[in-house]
Amino acid sequence: MSLKIPNKVDAKGLVERLQSVAIKRVAAGTDAGTLAREANDPKTKDSWLRGSELTKLFEGLQKANGETGKDVTLKNADGSLTKAGQLFEKLAEARGGRDLWFNAPAKGQVLYANFKNVDMGFFRGNDAAGKPIRVTGVPTSELSMHWASSGRAHYVPPTNLGVLYYERGESVDLRRSGNTSVNDPAASVRTELSADGVKSSGAPEDFKAKNINRDPSTVRRSLSADFFSDTLKLPTQRMAPVKWFANGWYQGLRDLEEPLDKTMWKDAVQKLDPKREVTDDVWIFKAQWTEGFEAVGGGKLDKADLKYRKNGSGDDGGKQYRAASGEQTYDLKTNRKDADQAYDAFAGFVRTVNGVGLKDANGVEIPANDPKRFNTDAYRKAMEQNADVYGMLRAYTGLVMTGSWDNLVNPSNFAWVGEKAKDGNVKFSALPVDLDSTWGLRWDGQPAWQDLDLLLRTGDTANVPVIWKNLLANDHFKAYVLDYTEHLLKTDFTPDKIGGKANALWQRNKDAAYQESDTAHGAAHTARPYSNDELYRHNELGHEVHKNGLYAPAIRNFVEWRSASANHQLRDIRSSFTQRSGVDFAAGELAPK
């Protein structure tokens, strides 16, 4: 990771450059040489490089060159680095990674995203095609981000200039984001981070601050992300609370969503297994609900349901899953330069999911229209060889237990990840994303999600991706889901545990949430649909909220209801289905031996 080194830099310029790439704090009060040498010393504290240390750093760089005045010279006339320039280059090793964006340095802190001199009139508008206008900056536009306590009223400036990110000028951009929520009065905000050094610093280049208008708890998305990662042991996008300001006005609390990129996937995988190697060949496909787009290989792509596709000539390759124009049903987020190879690998995954090309114990091909092909050893082995199938089954269990209808009953808000190993084989994994329609949240007319059938045997399942139906048709995979559900009900899926985690997240968020209104019962000046009193009653007293066609039970209550329903269903299913998976979840096993 190398910083772009200018010829000269003044103190302000040094601050802007280093803050824009998140430098780790190492040892307070050290000179530039010591700072650079100790940058990666595991004995030093990994936190922020504070403003006072930046001042000492600038002075240390000048001292290394024997300079005084307002500037420090980093390059000689021939372009070679001065002593100060060599130390500046070593600071690349002290750059903080993605963790600094999603782990608060202190308890109770939230991110502050502060936009200055941006045209909010344009931000609220649409272009001629009806799509949100992308607001671009002017020379005086600024964006800065830092962590601070959520408990202070409105904007809290960074202490001693210690910011996480800084960008200035016309590159500062701003636009509304989302699908059904894109026109919400309190919209999600999206911006591209493009300050010098971002690409190699680990910063999330695509910055999305998602609105929480439909969630009076303010924590459902974060709670779900923690549950899928910490409890279900699945690679998951991280979330961080962010207070968004524009031109001095507080725009409300949002969820900062980690982008679907290679850094996200590698960090999430190695959090669960530090020894696991992740190659650069990672293909993340985001599932979309699209309408009638033509596939490159012919026919229409309507929704990301993982159904097997082939054209009249028998071609079932990557062209069958790639839209010729418009939005992609299976939207490739990474390594787009390898799109042909990626979509061909994805087509292979779909073939496996749908049991195409299976052979029985005698080597005879099982017909692709035989519904019994899924309940065979051949199907089990094919899924085990080509996918992290047990991770997928835990993902399914998490979705069905938390009532994640927008990720399960609809084939959107989900991602499939293919990793190409050094031997050329590609293995796919599940990646649930945008988990906010969870923990009982539902629209009028929708079923009570606490009663969702564990095996999706009842209700409207027309839009459920075929992978879940096919996996559950295999007795071994079905036994795994039932055994794992039983394990969760005995351990982590309890009102006290889930409710306690939800309350801790609410305690972190509540001051920032309350600051969106000046009174208990009055409307929020951020256009949030819930009053502060409604938030208080929902989170502190456990009251349900039913407003604007949306119903939200208290999270603790939902878990109690869901647990009772799931236990009842398990007893009913076990009366006729007694097979077990053989996995000792209590001992920490996650897959058969």
Side-chain angles (χ1 to χ4, degrees):
M1 298 188 300
S2 60
L3 291 170
K4 186 178 180 181
I5 301 179
N7 293 329
K8 282 190 175 185
V9 67
D10 60 12
K12 182 180 179 182
L14 180 68
V15 167
E16 291 179 0
R17 282 178 176 275
L18 296 188
Q19 288 174 343
S20 72
V21 295
I23 301 295
K24 297 177 185 178
R25 175 180 176 267
V26 285
T30 59
D31 61 23
T34 305
L35 187 68
R37 285 193 299 273
E38 294 186 351
N40 283 329
D41 187 339
K43 297 179 181 179
T44 58
K45 188 175 179 181
D46 183 359
S47 183
W48 304 103
L49 180 63
R50 296 193 295 250
S52 59
E53 292 165 322
L54 287 168
T55 301
K56 290 181 180 294
L57 172 61
F58 180 74
E59 293 172 352
L61 291 174
Q62 283 191 321
K63 182 179 179 181
N65 276 0
E67 292 182 289
T68 58
K70 296 181 178 180
D71 298 316
V72 60
T73 305
L74 301 179
K75 286 184 179 179
N76 296 307
D78 62 1
S80 62
L81 296 178
T82 63
K83 289 183 179 180
Q86 293 171 22
L87 291 170
F88 185 82
E89 187 177 49
K90 290 181 181 179
L91 284 170
E93 299 173 3
R95 239 183 285 191
R98 184 71 61 86
D99 288 349
L100 292 182
W101 292 80
F102 294 94
N103 296 333
K107 186 177 179 180
Q109 289 190 331
V110 299
L111 273 173
Y112 283 62
N114 187 34
F115 288 83
K116 286 185 178 180
N117 298 324
V118 294
D119 194 324
M120 293 303 292
F122 277 119
F123 175 76
R124 301 294 179 193
N126 291 326
D127 62 19
K131 293 189 175 183
I133 293 173
R134 177 183 176 186
V135 182
T136 55
V138 296
T140 57
S141 297
E142 294 183 25
L143 167 61
S144 64
M145 280 176 257
H146 65 280
W147 288 94
S149 169
S150 66
R152 302 179 189 176
H154 303 301
Y155 183 68
V156 179
T159 305
N160 292 328
L161 301 177
V163 306
L164 174 63
Y165 179 83
Y166 181 86
E167 184 177 348
R168 179 181 176 87
E170 297 177 2
S171 65
V172 175
D173 67 300
L174 186 65
R175 54 183 160 156
R176 285 177 287 132
S177 177
N179 293 321
T180 58
S181 63
V182 69
N183 290 313
D184 284 356
S188 299
V189 61
R190 183 175 184 177
T191 185
E192 295 173 6
L193 304 186
S194 51
D196 179 45
V198 164
K199 288 185 181 295
S200 58
S201 71
E205 295 176 60
D206 188 9
F207 178 97
K208 286 185 182 179
K210 309 269 289 190
N211 79 43
I212 48 180
N213 296 343
R214 294 173 174 81
D215 179 14
S217 78
T218 77
V219 307
R220 277 178 164 85
R221 192 182 279 114
S222 292
L223 178 65
S224 298
D226 291 346
F227 180 69
F228 276 74
S229 175
D230 300 340
T231 300
L232 304 183
K233 305 303 180 185
L234 293 167
T236 310
Q237 283 178 296
R238 287 177 287 189
M239 301 290 160
V242 57
K243 294 176 71 173
W244 171 38
F245 294 83
N247 301 327
W249 291 92
Y250 182 33
Q251 303 290 328
L253 184 67
R254 300 288 191 275
D255 284 324
L256 175 62
E257 177 185 79
E258 189 171 12
L260 297 177
D261 57 20
K262 289 188 289 185
T263 299
M264 171 261 137
W265 181 251
K266 183 175 182 179
D267 287 353
V269 166
Q270 294 187 337
K271 173 187 176 182
L272 300 172
D273 184 1
K275 296 181 179 179
R276 179 175 159 188
E277 183 179 358
V278 179
T279 67
D280 285 336
D281 291 321
V282 173
W283 297 310
I284 300 179
F285 293 88
K286 171 70 166 62
Q288 305 276 88
W289 188 291
T290 56
E291 305 223 359
F293 289 120
E294 291 281 346
V296 174
K300 301 283 188 180
L301 280 164
D302 289 317
K303 53 192 175 186
D305 53 13
L306 292 185
K307 286 180 180 176
Y308 175 64
R309 291 173 51 85
K310 66 178 180 179
N311 61 19
S313 302
D315 181 7
D316 62 354
K319 293 180 180 179
Q320 307 308 313
Y321 305 94
R322 195 172 178 182
S325 61
E327 295 182 23
Q328 290 292 333
T329 300
Y330 303 99
D331 187 12
L332 179 61
K333 295 294 186 182
T334 59
N335 288 337
R336 287 175 173 164
K337 66 182 186 305
D338 301 325
D340 290 344
Q341 185 181 7
Y343 277 96
D344 282 342
F346 185 79
F349 169 59
V350 177
R351 281 194 292 271
T352 303
V353 165
N354 286 277
V356 177
L358 292 176
K359 293 182 179 180
D360 64 19
N362 297 318
V364 178
E365 187 165 320
I366 303 173
N369 61 354
D370 183 351
K372 295 181 180 180
R373 68 191 184 279
F374 300 115
N375 197 20
T376 61
D377 285 340
Y379 184 68
R380 172 184 171 179
K381 290 177 182 177
M383 286 300 301
E384 288 176 338
Q385 290 170 1
N386 295 286
D388 177 14
V389 66
Y390 297 104
M392 291 177 178
L393 292 169
R394 292 197 305 281
Y396 169 84
T397 306
L399 295 176
V400 80
M401 287 297 290
T402 58
S404 303
W405 57 269
D406 204 22
N407 315 79
L408 178 64
V409 179
N410 295 328
S412 58
N413 291 332
F414 207 86
W416 303 102
V417 185
E419 288 183 71
K420 182 181 177 183
K422 292 179 179 179
D423 62 7
N425 291 325
V426 179
K427 199 165 188 175
F428 273 82
S429 302
L431 174 57
V433 298
D434 202 11
L435 297 158
D436 58 328
S437 296
T438 50
W439 309 103
L441 200 68
R442 72 177 191 262
W443 292 104
D444 287 346
Q446 289 184 321
W449 298 114
Q450 64 264 24
D451 296 324
L452 184 62
D453 190 86
L454 293 177
L455 301 177
L456 300 181
R457 298 166 299 178
T458 60
D460 183 6
T461 61
N463 292 321
V464 173
V466 298
I467 184 172
W468 307 129
K469 300 176 184 178
N470 297 350
L471 291 177
L472 292 174
N474 183 280
D475 285 348
H476 172 74
F477 293 150
K478 180 165 70 173
Y480 182 95
V481 166
L482 297 175
D483 288 355
Y484 190 59
T485 301
E486 196 172 69
H487 169 72
L488 288 177
L489 289 168
K490 292 177 180 177
T491 54
D492 293 293
F493 197 90
T494 68
D496 285 345
K497 285 193 175 181
I498 301 295
K501 291 177 180 178
N503 182 63
L505 291 170
W506 164 246
Q507 296 303 319
R508 178 199 68 184
N509 285 0
K510 68 177 184 179
D511 291 321
Y514 286 151
Q515 289 163 14
E516 295 188 39
S517 179
D518 297 326
T519 63
H521 300 279
H525 55 74
T526 60
R528 184 191 67 201
Y530 304 111
S531 70
N532 281 349
D533 183 65
E534 287 170 315
L535 296 189
Y536 171 78
R537 292 177 179 276
H538 183 69
N539 292 286
E540 303 284 355
L541 304 181
H543 291 187
E544 64 185 38
V545 174
H546 193 182
K547 192 170 188 177
N548 299 334
L550 196 67
Y551 168 76
I555 291 172
R556 182 184 291 269
N557 293 345
F558 169 80
V559 175
E560 184 175 2
W561 302 336
R562 186 53 175 143
S563 298
S565 173
N567 275 308
H568 175 77
Q569 291 182 46
L570 280 170
R571 288 193 294 270
D572 178 63
I573 294 168
R574 297 290 195 197
S575 67
S576 58
F577 183 81
T578 59
Q579 182 171 330
R580 294 285 181 167
S581 66
V583 180
D584 189 352
F585 295 110
E589 294 180 7
L590 293 177
K593 293 181 179 178

